[in-house]
Amino acid sequence: MFKQIKVMTFAVSLLLLTTLNSCDLETQVFDQAPSDQFPRTESELLSTVSSAYTNLGGYYGAPFEINGPSSDEIVVPTRGPDWDDQGSWRSIETHTWTPDRPGQTNGAWEFGFTGIVNANLGISRINASTLEIDGKETIVAELRVLRAFYYYVLCDLFGNVPIITEQSTGQNPAQNTRVEVYNFIVSELRAAIPALPSGSGTAQYGRMTKGVAFTLLAKTLLNSQVFSGTARWAEVIPACDSVINSGAYALNPDFMSNFAVGNRNNPFARRENIMVVPYDGVRQGGNNFHMRTLHYAQQPQFQLAQSPWNGFCTIAEFYNSFPDGDARKAMWMIGPQRINGRVITYNDAVTGETAVPLDFRTTIASLERATQRDGVRSQKVEIQQGNNRTDQDNHVPIFRYADVLLMKAEALFRLGRTAEALPLVNTVRDRAGLPALASLTADELLAERGREFAWENLRRNDLIRFDKFANGTWQFKPVTPKFRELFPIPTQQLARNPSLRQNTGY
């Protein structure tokens, strides 16, 4: 018997699969393989859905590049002829972006829908198979959670996006409201959870498990007031408790090893890192934090095959939020940089200076004319010595157990149950080597999240939830209109789908 499998494609710039080549949403026949021949095993089932997982590699691409620099944790100043990009970075940092610029806005949209399309394709193929194979229900549940994660990213960044599933048909899908997208995420997660595997063991590592789904559910509910207009703090707590009480996860005593090269082999990191992007530099690229932040002259310091790009850094205000004694402060590179005890020097082609000591400082002169040394750099994701590729091998977390603890603490705090929230916050602080807090304020809770999750794609979301994104100010960023808590629908997507309507304010 031959069975036709119909799935949806969505306009994206990346090649999804060799069979996904349409420019608009449309119905196509993608497979006429005998349904009794493939898939035959669970491993073959997994092979049909790998593209939905592989797409996660882009999470620290375009979404990170609009999340981080639009907040107070990252800035990408122009240094001489480098990193100007026609003012694109400045538009992110000063909250003056438009539907046309920067290009990362469209890249973030396509990251989300590429993952959704691939998840829909996998679900369609599995559901179309008539074979009775153990694990089919689990794989479909995993794909539903992956799809929900991609929708979470889109809901957070854009709000009003089309909901397309494996059952959708037709071109130019209608745009759903942010509330509808939010409700879809919550319902999908709750429906998928019973069929998901438990634990964080070797067989489940890197896959969508109950722990991942409950963490994503807690994260979605935590943002309910922003996403839907209705707070659901009380529902966050049982979602977090499902992770905490599972016994599968725990804080890693060594904070920095969560981001180390080879962290996939560290049992303590594997227990804290609930959901990861499994970068390996070859099959899964995209982990190039070191290239973005290191100075050109640091190439020999780390024995890199290629010169770094000398871009991403942080502002003094954010760096100074880390007190002395905070173990997490080790994520920053500041002051003179050395090789074998000798301070690195460089020649500055812009100023004509020679033998300039490479001494990273907290000050950033300006967005338009920063010096090569301006700004503290990040080494949170451990820099891989002797790497002969642009991408590194570290598995980079999307969700960590520390976030579950602090999400529960925030929900308790919002409900006025501060005495119950404090021990959770202090558990995270204790791991960082900081004294326990005797009381808790919203500002302190936000600051603790900033120190714990710097450069992990969470800061913008946190600032919005604490009403500090548009209304807050930091170096280079004034008070801005509230509508900028959502990014605009990219012009390219409006042109492709006339059913889309631009977000308010743009």
Side-chain angles (χ1 to χ4, degrees):
M1 183 180 82
F2 288 77
K3 181 172 289 190
Q4 292 186 347
I5 301 172
K6 294 186 176 183
V7 299
M8 307 291 294
T9 71
F10 198 88
V12 293
S13 61
L14 300 175
L15 181 65
L16 305 183
L17 294 169
T18 56
T19 53
L20 292 177
N21 55 19
S22 72
C23 293
D24 294 297
L25 194 67
E26 61 186 14
T27 304
Q28 290 188 359
V29 177
F30 285 95
D31 191 9
Q32 290 184 319
S35 61
D36 61 346
Q37 293 180 21
F38 183 85
R40 296 166 297 181
T41 65
E42 184 174 353
S43 63
E44 288 183 349
L45 275 174
L46 283 170
S47 74
T48 71
V49 303
S50 61
S51 58
Y53 275 99
T54 300
N55 188 67
L56 287 174
Y59 181 63
Y60 282 104
F64 176 77
E65 291 178 348
I66 57 175
N67 264 318
S70 68
S71 77
D72 59 352
E73 68 175 359
I74 293 174
V75 65
V76 190
T78 298
R79 307 177 193 273
D82 295 335
W83 294 98
D84 183 69
D85 298 317
Q86 300 174 324
S88 289
W89 295 104
R90 289 193 293 278
S91 75
I92 304 174
E93 291 145 355
T94 59
H95 289 203
T96 55
W97 54 74
T98 70
D100 302 304
R101 184 181 74 161
Q104 288 93 333
T105 306
N106 189 59
W109 177 283
E110 296 196 340
F111 162 79
F113 277 108
T114 299
I116 290 164
V117 167
N118 287 342
N120 288 340
L121 177 59
I123 292 170
S124 294
R125 284 178 167 168
I126 293 169
N127 286 340
S129 172
T130 60
L131 296 181
E132 295 296 329
I133 300 174
D134 289 341
K136 285 175 64 173
E137 183 183 7
T138 297
I139 302 304
V140 170
E142 288 186 48
L143 286 169
R144 292 178 75 177
V145 173
L146 265 174
R147 183 172 63 189
F149 171 74
Y150 291 123
Y151 266 116
Y152 171 84
V153 173
L154 293 170
C155 185
D156 180 37
L157 295 175
F158 302 103
N160 310 293
V161 299
I163 296 174
I164 56 172
T165 71
E166 74 281 5
Q167 298 177 340
S168 300
T169 59
Q171 295 183 343
N172 300 326
Q175 188 172 18
N176 292 88
T177 66
R178 195 181 203 186
V179 176
E180 290 170 336
V181 177
Y182 163 82
N183 288 332
F184 175 77
I185 297 166
V186 172
S187 65
E188 281 292 286
L189 291 171
R190 286 182 166 152
I193 283 171
L196 292 169
S198 302
S200 58
T202 302
Q204 288 79 38
Y205 181 69
R207 292 173 61 178
M208 299 299 102
T209 62
K210 281 184 167 66
V212 173
F214 275 120
T215 303
L216 179 55
L217 178 61
K219 180 69 69 177
T220 307
L221 293 169
L222 189 75
N223 289 284
S224 178
Q225 191 166 46
V226 175
F227 291 174
S228 74
T230 302
R232 296 169 75 173
W233 308 117
E235 295 180 51
V236 175
I237 297 168
C240 291
D241 282 341
S242 294
V243 180
I244 294 168
N245 296 335
S246 72
Y249 307 98
L251 286 185
N252 179 355
D254 180 3
F255 172 80
M256 291 297 291
S257 70
N258 288 316
F259 315 94
V261 175
N263 56 355
R264 64 173 69 79
N265 300 316
N266 182 327
F268 298 103
R270 287 166 68 103
R271 289 199 74 192
E272 173 153 358
N273 294 341
I274 295 173
M275 180 180 178
V276 299
V277 184
Y279 294 116
D280 65 8
V282 179
R283 291 165 297 181
Q284 180 65 82
N287 175 2
N288 56 13
F289 289 90
H290 64 300
M291 299 297 287
R292 298 173 187 177
T293 192
L294 291 178
H295 189 275
Y296 324 111
Q298 291 181 284
Q299 182 179 1
Q301 180 182 359
F302 295 98
Q303 303 172 47
L304 303 176
Q306 301 181 49
S307 173
W309 307 328
N310 195 33
F312 286 44
C313 59
T314 196
I315 61 174
E317 182 180 352
F318 190 76
Y319 170 76
N320 290 333
S321 72
F322 289 73
D324 292 339
D326 191 332
R328 298 167 297 196
K329 206 168 186 176
M331 74 177 67
W332 303 114
M333 304 178 74
I334 188 170
Q337 303 301 301
R338 295 178 169 87
I339 298 179
N340 299 324
R342 188 185 75 254
V343 176
I344 300 170
T345 61
Y346 66 95
N347 298 330
D348 193 323
V350 175
T351 65
E353 298 173 282
T354 60
V356 181
L358 183 57
D359 184 0
F360 293 138
R361 47 202 181 188
T362 58
T363 57
I364 301 172
S366 74
L367 285 179
E368 297 85 357
R369 293 178 298 279
T371 76
Q372 290 194 23
R373 296 175 292 172
D374 283 2
V376 180
R377 312 306 167 93
S378 174
Q379 57 182 354
K380 186 174 189 177
V381 176
E382 184 186 11
I383 299 163
Q384 190 171 356
Q385 288 277 351
N387 187 13
N388 61 4
R389 304 181 302 269
T390 300
D391 299 320
Q392 293 199 157
D393 292 341
N394 324 52
H395 288 190
V396 180
I398 295 175
F399 295 138
R400 292 193 285 116
Y401 185 68
D403 197 8
V404 175
L405 296 179
L406 291 183
M407 285 194 293
K408 181 178 179 181
E410 183 180 337
L412 289 166
F413 174 80
R414 304 275 190 179
L415 292 169
R417 297 160 62 180
T418 304
E420 296 173 74
L422 263 173
L424 296 166
V425 177
N426 285 333
T427 297
V428 176
R429 286 176 59 85
D430 181 67
R431 194 260 299 268
L434 295 179
L437 296 172
S439 60
L440 190 62
T441 66
D443 285 347
E444 183 54 51
L445 188 53
L446 176 62
E448 194 60 45
R449 288 191 60 85
R451 291 185 285 267
E452 182 68 24
F453 304 115
W455 291 47
E456 292 186 51
N457 239 346
L458 298 179
R459 184 63 173 171
R460 170 189 158 275
N461 176 270
D462 288 345
L463 289 171
I464 291 171
R465 199 170 59 255
F466 283 81
D467 198 26
K468 299 289 187 181
F469 184 72
N471 288 332
T473 61
W474 49 86
Q475 188 179 18
F476 310 124
K477 190 267 175 185
V479 172
T480 49
K482 287 280 286 183
F483 72 79
R484 291 195 178 274
E485 291 182 348
L486 282 178
F487 285 98
I489 308 298
T491 298
Q492 298 96 314
Q493 305 305 327
L494 293 171
R496 291 170 179 170
N497 182 359
S499 298
L500 297 178
R501 296 292 178 267
Q502 185 57 270
N503 284 333
T504 300
Y506 294 103

